[in-house]
Structures are given as C-alpha cells and as structure tokens.
Amino acid sequence: MILTDIFSMILRLAELAFAAIVAGINGEYLHAVKDTDSWDQGRFIYTEVVAGIAIFLSIIWLFPFAGSFVHWPVDILISICWFVAFGLLVNFLNGTCGYVFDWDNVSFRRGDQCGKWKAIIAFAFVSAICWLVSAIIGIIWVRDHERREYRRRTWYRSRV
C-alpha cells in the first residue's frame, strides 16, 4: 500500500517536472513568434495548453490520498493529449531536425532551435508515458480495492 503511494507521488513529480519543462521551452518559442498568425502556431498553443493542464492536475494530485487513484480516466485522457501533442510536433518537424527518437541534440540553449524542439518532443513523450503508467497503477489499485469492499449482509441473515 505504501509502495503504491510512494510510486504514485514519484510519478506525479515527474509529470509535473516534464510538463514544466515543455511549458517553459514551448512558451519561450511562442513568445519569440508572438507577431505571427496564431493559426500557424496552433500545435504549439495546443502543447502549451496540455502542459498547463498537466501542471495543474499533477499539483492537485501530488499528495497521496486514497482518492488520488480513482482519477485514472483523467490520467488516460491526459496521456492521450500528450501523445497527440507529440504527434503534432513530430509532424511539424517532418524530419528536418533528424530522426524523431534521436535525442542526442536535445538542448535548452538559446541558439539551437532544433534542440529545443527535440526537447519538447522528448519530454512530451516521456510525460505521456508517465501519465499512462499512472493510469495503469490507478486501474490496478481500484480493481484491487473493489474486491476487498465490505459487503453488508441482508436483513434476513441478521444474527441479532
């Protein structure tokens, strides 16, 4: 029981950190291109919104309560949103910065825009995996606790 709480808290911290990294790098890019048409930057705006929602939910669910495991449908939804953001950004790059999973040039430096996009892609993918693992742990926890549920006896079997 305590092991799942600790593992859940570690996952929530990782989700928070990865979403903050994505929001920071992506926000810097959106600030740099603020005078362009917002329709052209839709995929980056979507990624920023997903990162903001992920930051908000991971802060709320960071503390391990018994109720924090029943949010697994939302964990699956946020994981799907992260996978969509990952796919949109990969589609945007279209191989211009190299192979998608070649994360050698992932960087946060100011001059390397390919490295920044690779960092956004990498942390979006890792965040999606963390949210998915969190959902799987929630499903397992809920299924395990439904079996242990206290069942009240009916009135005709009362031993009073």
Side-chain angles (χ1 to χ4, degrees), residues 95-112:
T96 57
C97 290
Y99 183 63
V100 175
F101 288 105
D102 181 21
W103 294 340
D104 289 338
N105 65 337
V106 170
S107 70
F108 305 108
R109 293 182 301 205
R110 292 196 178 265
D112 187 15

Side-chain angles (χ1 to χ4, degrees), residues 8-9 11-20 50-65 68 71 75 78 131:
S8 174
M9 196 159 51
L11 278 173
R12 296 291 181 201
L13 281 172
E15 293 162 1
L16 176 64
F18 298 151
V50 170
I53 292 170
I55 288 170
F56 177 71
L57 291 177
S58 63
I59 287 174
I60 289 176
W61 296 332
L62 179 64
F63 302 106
F65 298 113
S68 67
H71 302 296
D75 287 340
I78 297 296
W131 283 95

Side-chain angles (χ1 to χ4, degrees), residues 17 35 37 74 76-77 89 114 116-117 127 134 140 144 150:
D35 296 328
D37 186 25
V74 179
I76 290 175
L77 181 69
L89 294 172
C114 272
K116 289 179 186 178
W117 281 333
S127 184
S134 184
I140 292 171
D144 185 43
Y150 173 75

Side-chain angles (χ1 to χ4, degrees), residues 24-156:
I25 298 171
N26 198 31
E28 180 188 12
Y29 172 73
L30 285 173
H31 180 72
V33 297
K34 64 183 173 191
D35 296 328
T36 61
D37 186 25
S38 61
W39 185 255
D40 296 333
Q41 305 304 324
R43 64 188 78 225
F44 295 104
I45 294 169
Y46 173 78
T47 304
E48 193 74 19
V49 169
V50 170
I53 292 170
I55 288 170
F56 177 71
L57 291 177
S58 63
I59 287 174
I60 289 176
W61 296 332
L62 179 64
F63 302 106
F65 298 113
S68 67
F69 291 107
V70 298
H71 302 296
W72 62 265
V74 179
D75 287 340
I76 290 175
L77 181 69
I78 297 296
S79 177
I80 290 169
C81 290
W82 274 118
F83 279 121
V84 168
F86 170 77
L88 287 171
L89 294 172
V90 167
N91 187 27
F92 174 74
L93 288 183
N94 200 18
T96 57
C97 290
Y99 183 63
V100 175
F101 288 105
D102 181 21
W103 294 340
D104 289 338
N105 65 337
V106 170
S107 70
F108 305 108
R109 293 182 301 205
R110 292 196 178 265
D112 187 15
Q113 193 58 44
C114 272
K116 289 179 186 178
W117 281 333
K118 289 272 189 136
I120 294 170
I121 289 171
F123 285 109
F125 181 76
V126 174
S127 184
I129 296 297
C130 284
W131 283 95
L132 187 64
V133 169
S134 184
I136 291 170
I137 288 174
I139 291 170
I140 292 171
W141 188 90
V142 167
R143 287 189 64 208
D144 185 43
H145 281 75
E146 281 179 350
R147 291 185 189 140
R148 292 189 215 167
E149 181 178 296
Y150 173 75
R151 304 217 187 265
R152 188 174 174 183
R153 291 186 294 196
T154 56
W155 63 272
Y156 55 86

